[in-house]
Amino acid sequence: MASKTSRIFLFLLVMTVSFVVLILSQEYLSKSWTIFSGKHELGWETFPLNINLWGQEEKTAVPPSVSTTAVVETPMPLLYRGNFTKLPQWDFDDVYNQDAPPRPTTCAQSLRNSQDENFKKAFLPNIRLFLHKDNINMSEWNRLSHFNNPFGFMQFKYDDVMASVKLIPKPKEPLLLPKPGGDGCVHCAVVGTAGILNGSKVGAEIDAHDYVFRMNGAVTKGYEEDVGNRTSVYVHTQHSITASRYIFGKYGYKSAPHDEGIKYVLIPEAMRDFQWLEGLFKGNESFSGPHHKKWPGAYYSGQYNENRFYVLHQDFLRYVRNRFLKSPNLNKRFWAIVRPTNGAFALFLALHTCDTVDAYGFMTDEYMKYSNYYFEKYIKSNVIFYANHDYILEKNTWKSFHKRKIIKLYQRTEPETKTETPKQH
Ligand SMILES: *[C@@H]1O[C@H](CO)[C@@H](O)[C@H](O)[C@H]1NC(C)=O
Ligand SMILES: *[C@@H]1O[C@H](CO)[C@@H](O)[C@H](O)[C@H]1NC(C)=O
Ligand SMILES: *[C@@H]1O[C@H](CO)[C@@H](O)[C@H](O)[C@H]1NC(C)=O
Ligand SMILES: *[C@@H]1O[C@H](CO)[C@@H](O)[C@H](O)[C@H]1NC(C)=O
Ligand SMILES: *[C@@H]1O[C@H](CO)[C@@H](O)[C@H](O)[C@H]1NC(C)=O
């Protein structure tokens, strides 16, 4: 009896110590990055109002009568994207909330145990993933109002955004859990829409994963042999879920995936996404809105459930851009529209919620051999490069992650048909 009690005590002690060590190492990681990037810390509360518009911090001392921990009660004045000729650099740009519950690493092969130095330095395993009513307050609002959408709330009015954010329920469970009876690892497939999947016959391999992520115009009916038929997590925006029917209808797309128990993840990319959320959570009273003719929940084919609906946090989106996909186009005049693709955000969501990630249907060096989308089976189209995304940077990132064994990227190399060496960009 006594020895059982002491064993339990010892166990709890070990758990507590490991937890503290984990927290400290997180702290260390974020600090070392802070120093590495030449930035320093500042209290948000005292900061926002004395920045000039061109990103130069004015080192105004805090008036002695104002406590540095005083709570700011009002939204800061709006900043406008048009006032900046390139991405503004704030001292706190690369600082993020990191409060996702730490996950025990029972999975030896987890990407969380990667020994790749650059990945270890950049990766924040417990970065805050989701936005909800309990993790926003005025100082958070003011901090995030420095960053353009979807990385923050620049140019948005407090009341417009908060009308929906204050309705977002706090997620009741993590996005993914290890499957019972499995090996303790969360194995994920993330399926993009690239033409490389046409004729690939990897559908069964994709479906064999614990969880399958898809995004945007993820039509599976009629393409199962190549892309599988399961969807566990569907990543979308208001635009992608409403427009896909019109754009991809001719390829058989009828509605967003709606497998039993599916989890929906929204990227709040623009004001219309917040209006969408407001309609979604208010339910029947708000059937139509400026960007939807019927209740938004009806777009999820009977599978909408508040408990399985997640909204990505601005810190997570900005972290993905800043640490992994910082395009040189952010220094150009059209900087404010430059952002990672929905597919990239979905892949990074998987990197933060899974132990192993296999990516299918993402861009590879041989993209010119394939159509833009896998469902363009009969006429070979060319890959379209939109100015708001840096596809080449993303392509090279996936390839590098694959080489460094962080993900497994499906590249469909068929040596006998390989005729040229990949182009250098
Ligand atoms: C910033 O942009 C706003 C809105 O476009 C404009 O009214 C204002 O004059 C600009 N301010 C500066 C300093 O250019
Ligand atoms: C506001 O939220 C942030 C992030 O969740 C938290 O760190 C901070 O303590 C909160 N501030 C107040 C005054 O509640
Ligand atoms: C997917 O395909 C498998 C095998 O053909 C089948 O058993 C399963 O019911 C399908 N699942 C869905 C969601 O259609
Ligand atoms: C919501 O609207 C639908 C369609 O008009 C109706 O059938 C349903 O009963 C309503 N539900 C609630 C909870 O009011
Ligand atoms: C799609 O795959 C099929 C089967 O491999 C092939 O015959 C067809 O040419 C491919 N379509 C395109 C546009 O590449």
Side-chain angles (χ1 to χ4, degrees), residues 154-408:
M154 182 187 277
Q155 207 171 313
F156 289 170
K157 295 202 183 78
Y158 180 79
D159 291 337
D160 293 351
V161 173
M162 289 308 284
S164 62
V165 171
K166 68 178 191 233
L167 303 174
I168 306 174
K170 182 177 179 180
K172 293 193 180 52
E173 51 180 81
L175 187 71
L176 307 174
L177 291 168
K179 290 275 180 178
D183 60 359
C185 302
V186 178
H187 299 288
C188 298
V190 186
V191 187
T193 49
I196 189 172
L197 287 177
N198 170 49
S200 66
K201 296 191 162 52
V202 290
E205 179 183 321
I206 289 172
D207 282 345
H209 289 76
D210 294 335
Y211 298 98
V212 180
F213 287 58
R214 298 184 199 267
M215 76 288 311
N216 299 347
V219 43
T220 52
K221 200 165 166 40
Y223 309 90
E224 293 90 342
E225 201 184 2
D226 291 338
V227 307
N229 65 2
R230 291 177 54 216
T231 307
S232 337
V233 178
Y234 180 63
V235 179
H236 66 295
T237 61
Q238 178 278 338
H239 176 74
S240 75
I241 201 169
T242 54
S244 290
R245 300 159 76 145
Y246 303 107
I247 307 173
F248 306 123
K250 61 180 167 189
Y251 302 109
Y253 181 98
K254 289 204 177 65
S255 61
H258 47 275
D259 300 33
E260 184 73 42
I262 188 172
K263 306 224 167 168
Y264 291 114
V265 178
L266 183 85
I267 303 169
E269 65 171 343
M271 199 55 224
R272 58 182 184 238
D273 294 277
F274 292 103
Q275 289 158 345
W276 177 262
L277 288 171
E278 190 180 351
L280 188 65
F281 294 125
K282 280 190 175 162
N284 262 12
E285 310 94 84
S286 61
F287 252 51
S288 63
H291 298 286
H292 47 274
K293 293 197 182 62
K294 52 184 181 184
W295 176 52
Y299 287 78
Y300 302 91
S301 307
Q303 277 299 318
Y304 168 71
N305 178 329
E306 191 174 281
N307 296 329
R308 293 190 265 108
F309 195 92
Y310 300 77
V311 180
L312 288 179
H313 195 279
Q314 289 65 30
D315 268 4
F316 174 69
L317 301 173
R318 200 174 68 260
Y319 149 84
V320 168
R321 178 195 69 187
N322 286 351
R323 296 200 173 189
F324 300 98
L325 294 171
K326 202 150 196 180
S327 169
N329 293 339
L330 291 164
N331 290 323
K332 306 216 170 112
R333 279 223 158 250
F334 61 97
W335 67 273
I337 63 163
V338 176
R339 60 181 196 81
T341 58
N342 293 349
F345 286 133
L347 189 47
F348 276 100
L349 179 62
L351 283 168
H352 288 77
T353 52
C354 309
D355 291 305
T356 70
V357 174
D358 296 340
Y360 300 86
F362 281 78
M363 208 191 238
T364 63
D365 283 336
E366 298 186 308
Y367 68 89
M368 277 171 293
K369 276 171 57 178
Y370 310 107
S371 279
N372 196 14
Y373 298 115
Y374 62 72
F375 36 79
E376 293 174 310
K377 277 177 107 64
Y378 302 110
I379 299 166
K380 158 107 175 54
S381 64
N382 290 318
V383 174
I384 305 168
F385 290 82
Y386 294 100
N388 57 336
H389 300 309
D390 193 333
Y391 298 90
I392 299 303
L393 172 64
E394 291 192 6
K395 169 179 80 66
N396 293 341
T397 303
W398 314 144
K399 188 180 175 181
S400 153
F401 276 11
H402 176 84
K403 273 198 187 144
R404 294 147 68 199
K405 300 194 168 10
I406 294 155
I407 64 170
K408 209 174 91 205

Side-chain angles (χ1 to χ4, degrees), residues 53-54 80 82-83:
L53 284 177
W54 305 102
Y80 295 92
N83 291 144

